[in-house]
Amino acid sequence: MLKNRIIPCLDVKNGRVVKGINFVDLKDAGDPVEQAKIYSDGGADEICFLDITASNENRETIYDVVEKTSKKCFVPLTVGGGIRSVKDINKLLNCGADKVSINTAAVENSKVVVDSSKKFGSQCIVVAIDAKKNGDKWEVFTHGGRNNSGIDALEYAEQMERNGAGELLVTSMDRDGTQVGYDIDLMSKISSKVNIPVIASGGVGNLDHLVDGIKLGKASAVLAASIFHYGKHSVKEAKDYLDSKGIPVRI
Amino acid sequence: MNVTIVDYKSGNISSVINSFKEVANDKVTIEVTSDVNKIKSSDKIVLPGQGSFKSCIDALNKIKGLRDTLSEFAITNKKPLFGICVGLQMFADIGYEETETKGLGWISGKVSKIDNQGGKFKLPHIGWNEINIVKDSKIFKDIENNSHMYFVHSYEFVPNDKKVISATTDYSTKVVCSVEKENIFGTQFHPEKSDKFGLKIIDNFISL
């Protein structure tokens, strides 16, 4: 039986982890490679790096991080943040990323998703949807949540599936950072609309939220950042908890 | 000994290279090339594959002499060859992804879309799934039955002779996920992304 995945996400800025594990005896707490290794050794089903480097001159740092990580971690590695073109995707894949997550570029130029999924295969193209509720619908935001595109998130999800996305990473802007749980309504609506896997993101504060994301939100995978950082929960604890709730996980 | 990973410019093979180098650990030379002369003189070959069946076959055919060299290696000389994902699928006679495409024809059968029961199961089949080992395979030495492996695919290899099947996985139906026919091995899952058990499979192939 296919297992639901748990994906810890690390925010990386200028090649350094800005929010990360802060509890074990790390030689270098800001080293993304070491943190990714701890997660993969702890049973993470995938690792996600979100590059939040703001300046273009430091953009290159992520390639080095990906290259080093892919030589140490033998679980899938997804990299997102700042990807603009097929060329950027090619470079990340060549450095050892297994999937890329495309956000703003997918909204601004749908050709990026069409072309890259044709060139590299849908399996490595994840479209990240940052959605915020407005009345009775959700709108897609770009540029790290700063700009409202006005696009309906549900229609957009279907369009991205048609364009060749292999998975959708759906983040609720309303819930992100609040630790009150995923936007279940959003997740389940998108998941029912599309036939490709949905990864739920944004708002996890405890292990029950992960359970809800899968059981109620119908997500194939759950992504979380804060609960795994600062030692609140380990990936192993999360998996044991999901298992105890009858959710199939890889243990 | 040297093991050659065939780089025929189709998809991303960095993870395959990294995992084989990690396991080889200087005992074995890992070459990455599409040079037919180097391939001929290799002891073992790894045939990766990402993207569609058609795009991989097209890419293989673009390199002059490569197809014949691989067939000579695997079929005439019976030297060990390991196909991963679409690399395994290409063993078939024919594939139906995008359009009907002729395969390498090494193991008789076809590659068709997983029957997902009219959308009941999502495609691609992405994530960790258990493998049911149905026959002793040299690459499964010290691999327990029901071990988890990482999958990403929408199409499956359906061999005519079921005796070549070494493992299946449950997703909508029983999907063939590993084959062994004499010197030819293949996995639908990605051993290079399947953590320590995946690395063990790679080690088993290298140690053949």
Side-chain angles (χ1 to χ4, degrees), chain A residues 181-244:
Chain A
Y182 296 117
D183 183 339
I184 295 300
D185 202 16
L186 169 68
M187 300 305 159
S188 67
K189 282 208 165 77
I190 290 189
S191 193
S192 314
K193 276 255 178 202
V194 297
N195 225 318
I196 50 177
V198 167
I199 306 164
S201 159
V204 176
N206 61 47
L207 298 179
D208 280 313
H209 294 152
L210 300 177
V211 175
D212 292 345
I214 293 165
K215 278 198 168 168
L216 308 174
K218 303 188 184 76
S220 302
V222 283
L223 181 136
S226 329
I227 63 154
F228 297 128
H229 307 327
Y230 315 119
K232 191 169 174 185
H233 292 288
S234 67
V235 174
K236 170 101 179 48
E237 278 169 16
K239 286 194 155 179
D240 287 343
Y241 191 73
L242 262 58
D243 181 50
S244 77

Coordinates of all heavy atoms in Angstrom, one line a residue, chain A residues 181-244:
Chain A
G181 N -3.3 24.8 12.4 CA -3.7 23.7 11.5 C -3.9 24.1 10.1 O -4.0 25.3 9.7
Y182 N -3.9 23.0 9.2 CA -4.0 23.3 7.7 C -5.4 23.9 7.5 O -6.4 23.7 8.2 CB -3.9 22.0 6.9 CG -2.6 21.3 7.0 CD1 -2.5 20.1 7.6 CD2 -1.4 21.9 6.5 CE1 -1.2 19.4 7.6 CE2 -0.2 21.2 6.5 CZ -0.1 20.0 7.1 OH 1.1 19.3 7.1
D183 N -5.6 24.6 6.3 CA -6.9 24.9 5.9 C -7.5 23.7 5.2 O -7.3 23.4 4.0 CB -6.8 26.1 4.9 CG -8.1 26.6 4.4 OD1 -9.1 25.8 4.5 OD2 -8.2 27.8 3.9
I184 N -8.2 22.9 6.0 CA -8.7 21.6 5.5 C -9.7 21.8 4.3 O -9.7 21.0 3.4 CB -9.4 20.9 6.7 CG1 -8.4 20.6 7.8 CG2 -10.2 19.6 6.2 CD1 -7.3 19.7 7.3
D185 N -10.5 22.8 4.4 CA -11.5 23.0 3.3 C -10.8 23.2 2.0 O -11.1 22.6 1.0 CB -12.3 24.3 3.7 CG -13.6 24.4 3.0 OD1 -14.0 23.3 2.5 OD2 -14.2 25.4 2.9
L186 N -9.7 24.0 2.0 CA -8.9 24.3 0.8 C -8.3 23.0 0.3 O -8.3 22.7 -0.9 CB -7.9 25.4 1.1 CG -6.8 25.6 0.0 CD1 -7.3 26.3 -1.2 CD2 -5.7 26.5 0.6
M187 N -7.6 22.3 1.2 CA -6.9 21.1 0.8 C -7.9 20.0 0.2 O -7.6 19.5 -0.9 CB -6.2 20.4 2.0 CG -5.2 21.3 2.7 SD -3.9 21.9 1.6 CE -3.3 23.4 2.5
S188 N -9.0 19.8 0.9 CA -9.9 18.8 0.4 C -10.5 19.2 -1.0 O -10.7 18.3 -1.8 CB -10.9 18.4 1.4 OG -11.8 19.5 1.6
K189 N -10.8 20.5 -1.1 CA -11.4 20.9 -2.4 C -10.4 20.7 -3.5 O -10.8 20.2 -4.6 CB -11.8 22.4 -2.3 CG -13.1 22.5 -1.5 CD -13.9 23.8 -1.9 CE -15.4 23.8 -1.4 NZ -15.5 24.1 0.0
I190 N -9.2 21.1 -3.3 CA -8.2 21.0 -4.4 C -7.9 19.5 -4.7 O -7.9 19.1 -5.8 CB -6.9 21.8 -4.1 CG1 -7.2 23.3 -4.2 CG2 -5.8 21.3 -5.1 CD1 -6.0 24.2 -4.1
S191 N -7.8 18.7 -3.6 CA -7.5 17.3 -3.8 C -8.6 16.6 -4.5 O -8.3 15.7 -5.3 CB -7.2 16.7 -2.4 OG -6.7 15.4 -2.5
S192 N -9.8 17.0 -4.3 CA -10.9 16.3 -5.0 C -11.0 16.8 -6.5 O -11.5 16.0 -7.3 CB -12.3 16.7 -4.4 OG -12.2 16.5 -3.0
K193 N -10.5 18.0 -6.8 CA -10.5 18.5 -8.1 C -9.5 17.9 -9.1 O -9.8 17.7 -10.3 CB -10.2 20.0 -8.1 CG -11.4 20.9 -7.8 CD -11.9 21.6 -9.0 CE -13.2 22.4 -8.7 NZ -14.0 22.6 -9.9
V194 N -8.4 17.5 -8.5 CA -7.3 17.0 -9.4 C -7.0 15.6 -9.1 O -7.3 15.0 -8.1 CB -6.0 17.8 -9.2 CG1 -6.1 19.3 -9.5 CG2 -5.4 17.7 -7.7
N195 N -6.3 15.0 -10.1 CA -6.0 13.6 -10.0 C -4.5 13.3 -9.7 O -4.0 12.2 -9.6 CB -6.3 12.9 -11.4 CG -7.0 11.6 -11.1 OD1 -6.6 10.8 -10.2 ND2 -8.0 11.3 -11.9
I196 N -3.8 14.4 -9.4 CA -2.4 14.3 -9.0 C -2.3 14.5 -7.5 O -3.2 15.1 -6.9 CB -1.5 15.3 -9.8 CG1 -2.0 16.7 -9.7 CG2 -1.3 14.9 -11.3 CD1 -1.2 17.8 -10.3
P197 N -1.2 14.0 -6.9 CA -1.1 14.1 -5.5 C -1.0 15.6 -5.0 O -0.4 16.4 -5.7 CB 0.2 13.4 -5.2 CG 0.5 12.5 -6.3 CD -0.1 13.2 -7.5
V198 N -1.6 15.8 -3.8 CA -1.5 17.1 -3.2 C -0.7 17.0 -1.9 O -0.9 16.1 -1.1 CB -3.0 17.7 -2.9 CG1 -2.9 18.9 -2.0 CG2 -3.7 18.0 -4.2
I199 N 0.2 18.0 -1.7 CA 1.0 18.1 -0.5 C 0.4 19.3 0.3 O 0.4 20.4 -0.3 CB 2.5 18.4 -0.8 CG1 3.0 17.3 -1.8 CG2 3.3 18.4 0.5 CD1 4.4 17.7 -2.5
A200 N 0.0 19.0 1.5 CA -0.6 20.1 2.3 C 0.5 20.9 3.1 O 1.4 20.3 3.6 CB -1.6 19.5 3.3
S201 N 0.3 22.2 3.1 CA 1.3 23.0 3.8 C 0.7 24.2 4.5 O -0.3 24.7 4.0 CB 2.4 23.4 2.8 OG 3.1 24.5 3.2
G202 N 1.3 24.7 5.5 CA 0.9 26.0 6.1 C 0.0 25.8 7.3 O -1.2 25.5 7.2
G203 N 0.5 26.0 8.5 CA -0.3 26.0 9.7 C -0.2 24.9 10.7 O -0.9 24.9 11.7
V204 N 0.7 24.0 10.5 CA 0.9 22.9 11.4 C 1.4 23.3 12.8 O 2.4 23.9 12.9 CB 1.8 21.8 10.9 CG1 2.0 20.6 11.9 CG2 1.2 21.2 9.6
G205 N 0.7 23.0 13.8 CA 1.1 23.3 15.2 C 1.3 22.1 16.1 O 2.0 22.1 17.1
N206 N 0.6 21.0 15.7 CA 0.7 19.7 16.5 C 0.5 18.5 15.5 O 0.1 18.7 14.4 CB -0.2 19.7 17.7 CG -1.7 19.8 17.2 OD1 -2.1 19.1 16.3 ND2 -2.5 20.7 17.9
L207 N 0.7 17.3 16.1 CA 0.6 16.1 15.3 C -0.8 15.8 14.8 O -0.9 15.2 13.8 CB 1.2 14.9 16.1 CG 2.7 15.1 16.5 CD1 3.2 13.9 17.3 CD2 3.6 15.3 15.3
D208 N -1.8 16.3 15.5 CA -3.2 16.0 15.1 C -3.4 16.8 13.8 O -4.3 16.4 13.0 CB -4.2 16.5 16.1 CG -4.3 15.4 17.2 OD1 -4.5 14.2 16.8 OD2 -4.2 15.7 18.4
H209 N -2.8 17.9 13.6 CA -2.9 18.7 12.3 C -2.5 17.9 11.1 O -3.1 17.9 10.1 CB -2.2 20.0 12.4 CG -2.7 20.9 13.4 ND1 -2.0 21.9 14.1 CD2 -4.0 21.1 13.9 CE1 -2.8 22.6 14.9 NE2 -4.0 22.1 14.8
L210 N -1.4 17.1 11.3 CA -0.9 16.2 10.3 C -2.0 15.2 9.9 O -2.2 14.9 8.7 CB 0.4 15.5 10.6 CG 1.6 16.4 11.0 CD1 2.8 15.6 11.4 CD2 2.0 17.3 9.8
V211 N -2.6 14.6 11.0 CA -3.6 13.6 10.8 C -4.8 14.2 10.0 O -5.3 13.6 9.0 CB -4.1 13.0 12.2 CG1 -5.3 12.1 12.0 CG2 -3.0 12.4 12.9
D212 N -5.2 15.4 10.4 CA -6.3 16.0 9.7 C -6.0 16.3 8.3 O -6.9 16.2 7.4 CB -6.6 17.4 10.4 CG -7.2 17.1 11.8 OD1 -7.6 16.0 12.1 OD2 -7.3 18.1 12.6
G213 N -4.8 16.8 8.0 CA -4.4 17.1 6.6 C -4.6 15.9 5.7 O -5.0 16.0 4.6
I214 N -4.3 14.7 6.2 CA -4.4 13.5 5.4 C -5.8 12.9 5.4 O -6.4 12.7 4.4 CB -3.4 12.4 5.9 CG1 -2.0 12.9 5.6 CG2 -3.7 11.1 5.2 CD1 -0.9 12.1 6.4
K215 N -6.4 12.8 6.6 CA -7.8 12.2 6.7 C -8.8 13.2 6.2 O -9.7 12.7 5.4 CB -8.1 11.9 8.2 CG -7.4 10.6 8.6 CD -8.1 10.0 9.9 CE -7.7 8.6 10.2 NZ -8.0 8.1 11.5
L216 N -8.8 14.4 6.6 CA -9.9 15.3 6.2 C -9.5 16.1 4.9 O -10.3 16.4 4.1 CB -10.2 16.3 7.3 CG -10.5 15.7 8.7 CD1 -10.7 16.7 9.8 CD2 -11.8 14.8 8.6
G217 N -8.2 16.5 4.9 CA -7.8 17.3 3.7 C -7.5 16.5 2.5 O -7.2 17.0 1.4
K218 N -7.5 15.1 2.7 CA -7.2 14.2 1.6 C -5.9 14.4 0.9 O -5.7 14.1 -0.3 CB -8.3 14.2 0.5 CG -9.7 14.0 1.1 CD -10.7 13.9 0.0 CE -12.2 13.7 0.4 NZ -12.7 14.9 1.0
A219 N -4.9 14.9 1.6 CA -3.6 15.1 1.1 C -2.8 13.8 1.0 O -3.0 12.9 1.9 CB -2.8 16.2 1.9
S220 N -2.0 13.7 0.0 CA -1.1 12.5 -0.1 C 0.1 12.6 0.8 O 0.7 11.6 1.2 CB -0.6 12.3 -1.6 OG -1.7 12.2 -2.4
A221 N 0.5 13.9 1.0 CA 1.7 14.1 1.8 C 1.5 15.4 2.6 O 0.7 16.3 2.3 CB 2.9 14.3 0.9
V222 N 2.2 15.5 3.8 CA 2.1 16.7 4.6 C 3.5 17.3 4.8 O 4.4 16.6 5.1 CB 1.4 16.4 6.0 CG1 -0.1 16.2 5.8 CG2 2.0 15.1 6.6
L223 N 3.5 18.6 4.6 CA 4.8 19.3 4.7 C 4.7 20.1 6.0 O 3.7 20.7 6.3 CB 5.0 20.1 3.5 CG 6.3 21.0 3.4 CD1 6.9 20.8 2.0 CD2 6.1 22.4 3.7
A224 N 5.8 20.2 6.7 CA 5.8 21.0 7.9 C 7.2 21.5 8.2 O 8.2 20.9 7.8 CB 5.2 20.2 9.1
A225 N 7.3 22.6 8.8 CA 8.6 23.2 9.2 C 8.7 23.3 10.7 O 9.4 22.5 11.3 CB 8.7 24.6 8.5
S226 N 8.0 24.2 11.3 CA 8.2 24.6 12.7 C 8.1 23.4 13.7 O 8.9 23.3 14.6 CB 7.2 25.7 13.1 OG 6.8 26.5 12.1
I227 N 7.1 22.5 13.5 CA 7.0 21.5 14.5 C 8.2 20.6 14.6 O 8.4 19.9 15.6 CB 5.7 20.6 14.4 CG1 5.6 19.8 13.1 CG2 4.4 21.4 14.6 CD1 4.8 18.6 13.3
F228 N 8.9 20.5 13.5 CA 10.1 19.6 13.5 C 11.4 20.4 14.0 O 12.4 19.8 14.3 CB 10.4 19.0 12.1 CG 9.3 18.1 11.7 CD1 8.7 18.3 10.4 CD2 8.8 17.1 12.5 CE1 7.7 17.4 10.0 CE2 7.8 16.2 12.1 CZ 7.2 16.4 10.9
H229 N 11.3 21.7 13.9 CA 12.4 22.5 14.4 C 12.3 22.6 15.9 O 11.3 22.4 16.5 CB 12.4 23.9 13.8 CG 12.3 23.8 12.3 ND1 12.9 22.8 11.5 CD2 11.8 24.6 11.4 CE1 12.7 23.0 10.2 NE2 12.0 24.1 10.1
Y230 N 13.3 23.1 16.5 CA 13.4 23.3 18.0 C 13.0 22.1 18.8 O 12.6 22.3 20.0 CB 12.5 24.5 18.3 CG 12.7 25.7 17.3 CD1 11.6 26.2 16.6 CD2 13.9 26.3 17.2 CE1 11.8 27.2 15.6 CE2 14.1 27.3 16.3 CZ 13.1 27.7 15.5 OH 13.3 28.7 14.6
G231 N 13.0 20.9 18.2 CA 12.8 19.7 19.0 C 11.4 19.5 19.5 O 11.2 18.6 20.3
K232 N 10.4 20.2 19.0 CA 9.1 20.0 19.5 C 8.6 18.5 19.2 O 8.1 17.9 20.0 CB 8.1 21.0 18.8 CG 6.8 21.0 19.4 CD 6.0 22.2 18.9 CE 4.5 22.1 19.4 NZ 3.7 23.2 18.8
H233 N 8.9 18.1 17.9 CA 8.6 16.7 17.6 C 9.6 16.2 16.6 O 10.1 17.0 15.8 CB 7.2 16.6 16.9 CG 6.1 16.8 17.8 ND1 5.7 16.0 18.8 CD2 5.2 17.9 17.9 CE1 4.7 16.5 19.5 NE2 4.4 17.6 19.0
S234 N 9.9 14.9 16.7 CA 10.8 14.4 15.6 C 9.9 13.8 14.5 O 8.7 13.6 14.7 CB 11.7 13.3 16.2 OG 10.9 12.2 16.6
V235 N 10.5 13.5 13.4 CA 9.8 12.9 12.3 C 9.3 11.5 12.7 O 8.2 11.1 12.4 CB 10.7 12.8 11.0 CG1 10.0 12.0 9.9 CG2 11.1 14.2 10.5
K236 N 10.1 10.8 13.5 CA 9.8 9.5 14.0 C 8.5 9.6 14.9 O 7.6 8.8 14.7 CB 11.0 8.9 14.8 CG 10.7 7.7 15.6 CD 11.2 6.5 14.8 CE 11.0 5.1 15.5 NZ 9.7 4.8 16.1
E237 N 8.5 10.6 15.8 CA 7.3 10.7 16.6 C 6.0 11.0 15.8 O 4.9 10.4 16.0 CB 7.4 11.9 17.6 CG 8.2 11.6 18.8 CD 8.6 12.9 19.6 OE1 8.0 14.0 19.3 OE2 9.5 12.8 20.4
A238 N 6.2 11.8 14.7 CA 5.1 12.1 13.9 C 4.6 10.9 13.2 O 3.4 10.7 13.1 CB 5.5 13.2 12.8
K239 N 5.5 10.1 12.7 CA 5.1 8.9 12.0 C 4.4 7.9 12.9 O 3.4 7.3 12.6 CB 6.3 8.2 11.4 CG 6.8 9.0 10.1 CD 7.8 8.1 9.4 CE 7.8 8.5 7.9 NZ 8.8 7.8 7.1
D240 N 5.0 7.7 14.1 CA 4.4 6.8 15.1 C 2.9 7.3 15.4 O 2.0 6.5 15.6 CB 5.2 6.7 16.4 CG 6.5 5.9 16.2 OD1 6.6 5.2 15.1 OD2 7.4 6.1 17.0
Y241 N 2.8 8.6 15.5 CA 1.4 9.1 15.9 C 0.5 8.8 14.7 O -0.7 8.4 14.9 CB 1.5 10.6 16.2 CG 0.3 11.1 16.7 CD1 -0.1 10.8 18.1 CD2 -0.6 11.9 16.0 CE1 -1.3 11.3 18.6 CE2 -1.8 12.4 16.5 CZ -2.1 12.1 17.9 OH -3.3 12.6 18.4
L242 N 0.9 9.1 13.5 CA 0.0 8.9 12.3 C -0.3 7.4 12.2 O -1.5 7.0 12.0 CB 0.7 9.3 11.0 CG 0.3 10.7 10.5 CD1 0.6 11.8 11.5 CD2 1.1 11.0 9.2
D243 N 0.6 6.5 12.5 CA 0.4 5.1 12.5 C -0.6 4.7 13.5 O -1.5 3.9 13.2 CB 1.8 4.4 12.8 CG 1.6 2.9 12.7 OD1 1.1 2.4 11.8 OD2 2.1 2.2 13.7
S244 N -0.6 5.3 14.7 CA -1.5 5.0 15.8 C -2.9 5.5 15.4 O -3.9 5.0 16.0 CB -1.1 5.6 17.1 OG -1.4 7.0 17.1

